[in-house]
Amino acid sequence: MAKVLCVLYDDPIDGVPEQYARDEIPRITKYHDGQTAPTPSAIDFKPGELLGSVSGELGLRAFLEAQGHVLVVTSDKDGPDSEFERELIDAEVVISQPFWPAYLTAARIAKAPQLKLALTAGIGSDHVDLQAAIERGITVAEVTFSNSISVAEHVVMMILSLVRNYLPSHEWVLKGGWNIADCAARAYDLEGMHVGTVAAGRIGSGVLRRLKPFEVNLHYTDRHRLPEHVEKELGVTWHPDVESMVKVCDVVTINCPLHPETEHLFDERMIAKMKRGAYIVNTARGKICDRDAIARALESGQLAGYAGDVWFPQPAPRDHPWRTMPHHGMTPHTSGTTLSAQARYAAGAREILECWFSKRPIREEYLIVDGGRLAGAGAHAYSAGNATSGSEETSRLKTS
Ligand code: NDP
């Protein structure tokens, strides 16, 4: 019998919907590269329901309890008095979503002698101190591809919203105005612009594929180059490093994981290399950008706009400067947790747990750390080390 500790975001303030906006969601069985969507033996939820908040329990309770395991679900994740820290002491499995990350720092891992599996329901395991997981032999797994396209769609939406000045124009309608000149004074067409992605993995290449029909000039940089025929098909130009790419781009979208190599990649120095009036869309991780450098660049006009859904730490403190900086289109961390995405990563979490408890191998593409080293998708896209430092700041939000 194992204890599974699952940290999920709070239910909606009006309660879990009794009826949803739509009656069904499309059934996705395969992704663009041929990888199959999660294949658990069964699911105990209806796809399209809210699963990522506390009451949804990722649809896991019946399955786990039927096998005699204990499931503890909480949203109380920050600080030493949190339910998460109290329950962690004898947990074998921790499940967390990046939207509401249960930071598994080295100090917390040291307090959890039974911990063997850190499962990310979604993609991006930077909330786990991967170095500490490597050293303790903890397996880290995530549901690769489950919400990559959810994010790619969001990136395209945010690029268009910024360039076309959508949010301020919508505001004028809410205020009862008809201020066309105010709306148009910062509105441009995307057509003909140079758009570059930092990383052309599952999300980055999804963004490139989606932007191709917009008749823009596409660019990318990545540690591994795309096959030549893919570069040709997309008409995309490769750059050997981020600096050489950002110099020529009007819009830069960030789609690499957060790891020691990418932490604060977009600092004052990198932003200064961009064209004046460029836009950044970052749905990867907040900490890839230097928080204050972004706010200053929007104030000075070096950047014309910044949008994304990722912050550091999460939840963002109420006084986080990205809440109030000019020309931003920030949302809470939502792009990868649409109801459509939740159905896939909840099924993926179940698939991983089925493998774990029956001692069958977890799919290679789901692994980030295994057997004391980076493994699977982690060996490809991450570097060893820790990117959780500073996460303690979340406890400040609790009391402010
Ligand atoms: P993938 O693993 O498919 O792609 C990541 C890509 O980043 C890989 O191509 C990798 O290169 C590249 N990369 C890693 N380090 C660097 C670097 N230093 N410079 C340039 N490229 C680099 O993952 P996804 O595309 O599915 O997801 C990417 C990230 O997006 C996640 O790690 C997560 O942080 C974030 N995300 C955000 C979500 C949200 O809701 N906002 C939801 C899902 C993900 P290579 O493998 O060639 O070495």
Side-chain angles (χ1 to χ4, degrees):
M1 184 200 88
K3 177 167 159 187
V4 177
L5 175 55
C6 183
V7 176
L8 300 176
Y9 46 79
D10 287 315
D11 285 343
I13 47 176
D14 296 332
V16 174
E18 279 169 24
Q19 196 188 19
Y20 288 87
R22 297 181 51 78
D23 297 327
E24 56 183 357
I25 58 170
R27 193 160 168 263
I28 310 291
T29 54
K30 240 186 198 167
Y31 305 119
H32 186 79
D33 66 354
Q35 183 188 317
T36 52
T39 49
S41 62
I43 51 169
D44 299 322
F45 58 84
K46 183 170 177 276
E49 287 174 349
L50 193 55
L51 302 164
S53 68
V54 171
S55 297
E57 300 182 322
L58 293 175
L60 292 172
R61 185 170 294 280
F63 154 70
L64 287 170
E65 290 184 348
Q67 297 197 13
H69 303 304
V70 173
L71 174 67
V72 177
V73 180
T74 181
S75 64
D76 181 20
K77 69 182 185 72
D78 295 313
D81 301 327
S82 60
E83 192 176 348
F84 175 63
E85 274 214 34
R86 284 198 308 274
E87 297 284 351
L88 187 59
I89 288 166
D90 56 351
E92 175 177 326
V93 178
V94 164
I95 305 175
S96 172
Q97 299 171 112
F99 324 103
W100 187 254
Y103 292 104
L104 263 177
T105 58
R108 280 177 158 178
I109 286 175
K111 286 184 195 163
Q114 318 281 345
L115 183 62
K116 295 190 184 69
L117 174 66
L119 198 172
T120 304
I123 302 172
S125 297
D126 49 277
H127 59 280
V128 180
D129 182 333
L130 297 182
Q131 190 59 41
I134 287 170
E135 285 161 19
R136 255 283 301 278
I138 294 169
T139 296
V140 182
E142 57 186 51
V143 192
T144 307
F145 229 142
S146 58
N147 56 9
S148 301
I149 299 309
S150 323
V151 179
E153 289 184 1
H154 204 84
V155 170
V156 173
M157 174 185 83
M158 285 188 171
I159 290 175
L160 289 166
S161 301
L162 286 182
V163 171
R164 304 195 57 90
N165 205 31
Y166 168 63
L167 287 170
S169 307
H170 180 62
E171 276 292 313
W172 277 114
V173 170
L174 297 179
K175 286 189 283 200
W178 191 258
N179 301 44
I180 297 173
D182 291 280
C183 303
R186 290 187 70 88
Y188 298 89
D189 294 344
L190 186 62
E191 184 185 15
M193 284 193 176
H194 288 258
V195 184
T197 172
V198 178
R202 293 168 182 86
I203 296 175
S205 60
V207 171
L208 292 172
R209 281 197 306 278
R210 278 158 183 73
L211 282 179
K212 193 181 169 218
F214 281 86
E215 298 182 33
V216 291
N217 304 286
L218 294 173
H219 302 259
Y220 82 102
T221 181
D222 198 299
R223 302 192 303 190
H224 298 87
R225 209 162 157 175
L226 292 168
E228 205 181 324
H229 73 273
V230 177
E231 284 188 3
K232 276 213 181 98
E233 177 201 325
L234 294 171
V236 61
T237 306
W238 177 75
H239 296 261
D241 49 48
V242 182
E243 285 86 348
S244 57
M245 188 186 81
V246 300
K247 267 194 231 162
V248 299
C249 287
D250 303 290
V251 181
V252 171
T253 159
I254 303 174
N255 298 301
C256 56
L258 168 65
H259 55 107
E261 254 177 55
T262 59
E263 188 167 343
H264 293 148
L265 183 63
F266 279 76
D267 57 6
E268 196 98 49
R269 200 186 54 86
M270 183 69 78
I271 296 168
K273 294 197 163 128
M274 299 178 73
K275 287 186 187 177
R276 191 192 79 82
Y279 305 86
I280 294 180
V281 169
N282 175 15
T283 49
R285 285 297 178 260
K287 224 190 192 183
I288 297 172
C289 292
D290 176 318
R291 184 190 71 176
D292 297 330
I294 293 290
R296 277 196 298 273
L298 288 166
E299 273 150 23
S300 72
Q302 173 59 14
L303 288 178
Y306 182 94
D309 64 334
V310 285
W311 309 64
F312 187 80
Q314 290 189 174
R318 293 201 183 105
D319 59 356
H320 195 295
W322 291 4
R323 289 183 188 270
T324 48
M325 63 192 181
H327 313 305
H328 81 81
M330 294 299 297
T331 64
H333 191 164
T334 55
S335 67
T337 189
T338 54
L339 296 176
S340 325
Q342 288 178 38
R344 286 189 296 273
Y345 67 68
R350 164 108 180 224
E351 178 189 332
I352 291 170
L353 290 171
E354 285 180 0
C355 291
W356 180 260
F357 288 122
S358 62
K359 303 202 182 335
R360 280 181 289 128
I362 294 169
R363 284 196 213 192
E364 185 72 10
E365 64 257 35
Y366 289 166
L367 292 174
I368 302 298
V369 170
D370 194 40
R373 67 176 88 87
L374 290 172
H380 210 272
Y382 283 79
S383 58
N386 170 33
T388 64
S389 65
S391 55
E392 320 73 55
E393 209 195 329
T394 42
S395 354
R396 198 161 63 79
L397 180 72
K398 275 181 125 181
T399 50
S400 63

